[in-house]
Amino acid sequence: FLSDNPKQSSQIPVFIRILDINDHAPEFANYYETFVCENAKAGQLIQTVSAIDKDQPPRGHKFFFELVPEFAVHPNFSVVDNKGN
């Protein structure tokens, strides 16, 4: 609450220390452009994707992928974790 009366207000400097935890967001390892043919078979592998994170440790990150909830109920596609990011 700000007051028009200067006697009822004060200013205090606040210092915030930001910890350097995540400078880089995860990103796809490559640019992917995927096409699905109309005669694709059920269970056919369409695309394999991989992610990277430029933060340390270079090999210590674990990623997983999933369909957004609104498409997971009746999916036309499935996502399988191959345990390799």
Side-chain angles (χ1 to χ4, degrees):
F1 176 77
L2 294 176
S3 173
D4 291 333
N5 185 344
K7 293 181 181 182
Q8 294 180 347
S9 65
S10 64
Q11 294 182 355
I12 299 173
V14 175
F15 299 94
I16 299 173
R17 189 176 97 181
I18 299 174
L19 301 176
D20 182 13
I21 294 176
N22 194 356
D23 291 334
H24 306 285
E27 58 190 54
F28 284 117
N30 298 302
Y31 172 78
Y32 298 103
E33 188 171 6
T34 304
F35 300 94
V36 179
C37 296
E38 62 185 42
N39 61 350
K41 306 281 188 267
Q44 179 178 342
L45 175 64
I46 302 298
Q47 179 70 59
T48 300
V49 296
S50 180
I52 59 171
D53 190 328
K54 295 178 182 172
D55 290 319
Q56 296 294 331
R59 296 196 187 337
H61 302 285
K62 174 68 178 140
F63 301 102
F64 68 93
F65 303 88
E66 63 185 353
L67 295 173
V68 292
E70 52 269 21
F71 292 115
V73 177
H74 298 288
N76 291 320
F77 298 95
S78 61
V79 176
V80 178
D81 186 359
N82 65 7
K83 311 284 192 240
N85 282 350

